[in-house]
Amino acid sequence: MYCSKCGIEINENNSFCPKCGINLQNESKNLTPNDNTALWESTSEIVSPDLENITIDVYESFGWELRSSQTVDNKDTHLENRFGTIYSVTESTNYVKLTFRRNKALPRINELRELEDEYQSYESPRAPDSPNPLLLIGGILLLCTLTLFSGLGAIGIILLVIYFVKKFKYEKELKVYSSLAADNILRRDEILEKAKAIIDNI
């Protein structure tokens, strides 16, 4: 069976959920026939707050329904040594844990699962790394010494050549990346539209 609050799979003999602590006996009294946990599958997702609504919309497109949304704020305070001075630094992390469930008896559930798997297979391609601007800056500075120190000037020329070769390669890779990213977005939108059409007709 699954916890109706946090969605994890738990032993049927448990009186309380080992994760969220909800009283399972009280929950079972309030279940309707359609709430039989054996008919449900569950999942959860951790996202940044600005992606919460988008994530919910995507999951609902594949027949999932939101069960809970929990905002988590973590603060970590530690000491850092900066140039010989000790500072107390506090870092905050903020995220939202979303829990969903989906009825295993949902009509056309297999089609929805296939579309969902296909949607998740289209991962965003990795953006190429831009060339280090220090190569350009260092090359220009060393090139300025060409008349005084020919050796340093030659190193400056080499740095500039390396920079522009990397920049040319970066721009080519960026075009490929942009094309792949656009194709992925288009394909994922098409999959979402198909899934939504199935949900709308159920």
Side-chain angles (χ1 to χ4, degrees):
M1 63 181 287
Y2 295 89
C3 176
S4 60
K5 182 178 180 182
C6 68
I8 69 164
E9 188 172 3
I10 51 181
N11 191 304
E12 294 182 359
N13 297 324
N14 286 11
S15 298
F16 296 89
C17 174
K19 186 171 184 180
C20 67
I22 191 172
N23 189 326
L24 300 172
Q25 293 178 339
N26 289 343
E27 283 291 300
S28 63
K29 295 176 183 177
N30 299 323
L31 290 177
T32 65
N34 291 331
D35 285 328
N36 185 347
T37 53
L39 295 176
W40 298 91
E41 56 185 342
S42 61
T43 188
S44 60
E45 184 85 24
I46 293 177
V47 298
S48 60
D50 57 315
L51 294 177
E52 179 179 4
N53 292 333
I54 295 174
T55 304
I56 292 173
D57 183 59
V58 169
Y59 271 87
E60 289 179 344
S61 298
F62 296 109
W64 295 95
E65 56 183 74
L66 181 67
R67 295 292 288 165
S68 66
S69 174
Q70 179 184 8
T71 301
V72 179
D73 294 305
N74 288 333
K75 289 187 176 180
D76 173 47
T77 302
H78 59 276
L79 299 178
E80 287 187 6
N81 187 337
R82 298 179 180 176
F83 305 106
T85 303
I86 304 297
Y87 293 90
S88 176
V89 178
T90 300
E91 295 178 347
S92 298
T93 55
N94 177 256
Y95 62 88
V96 178
K97 181 179 180 181
L98 303 171
T99 303
F100 301 89
R101 74 173 185 176
R102 180 168 59 187
N103 195 323
K104 295 177 183 178
L106 195 67
R108 303 176 69 180
I109 183 67
N110 289 334
E111 290 181 62
L112 289 171
R113 285 173 176 160
E114 288 176 5
L115 287 171
E116 185 177 11
D117 290 341
E118 187 179 357
Y119 179 88
Q120 293 176 346
S121 70
Y122 284 90
E123 296 182 359
S124 299
R126 183 179 178 277
D129 296 325
S130 59
N132 192 334
L134 291 178
L135 287 172
L136 178 64
I137 296 170
I140 292 173
L141 290 176
L142 290 174
L143 192 60
C144 292
T145 67
L146 181 60
T147 55
L148 298 176
F149 309 100
S150 58
L152 292 177
I155 294 174
I157 293 174
I158 293 172
L159 290 178
L160 288 175
V161 169
I162 293 173
Y163 173 80
F164 285 109
V165 167
K166 286 181 175 290
K167 189 172 189 300
F168 177 74
K169 182 181 178 184
Y170 165 74
E171 289 176 350
K172 285 183 64 178
E173 291 176 348
L174 187 61
K175 287 181 181 179
V176 174
Y177 162 78
S178 300
S179 177
L180 287 175
D183 288 344
N184 277 5
I185 291 173
L186 181 62
R187 182 59 187 141
R188 294 181 90 177
D189 286 345
E190 291 174 353
I191 294 171
L192 282 180
E193 289 303 317
K194 286 183 180 179
K196 287 178 181 178
I198 292 174
I199 295 297
D200 290 340
N201 291 324
I202 290 177

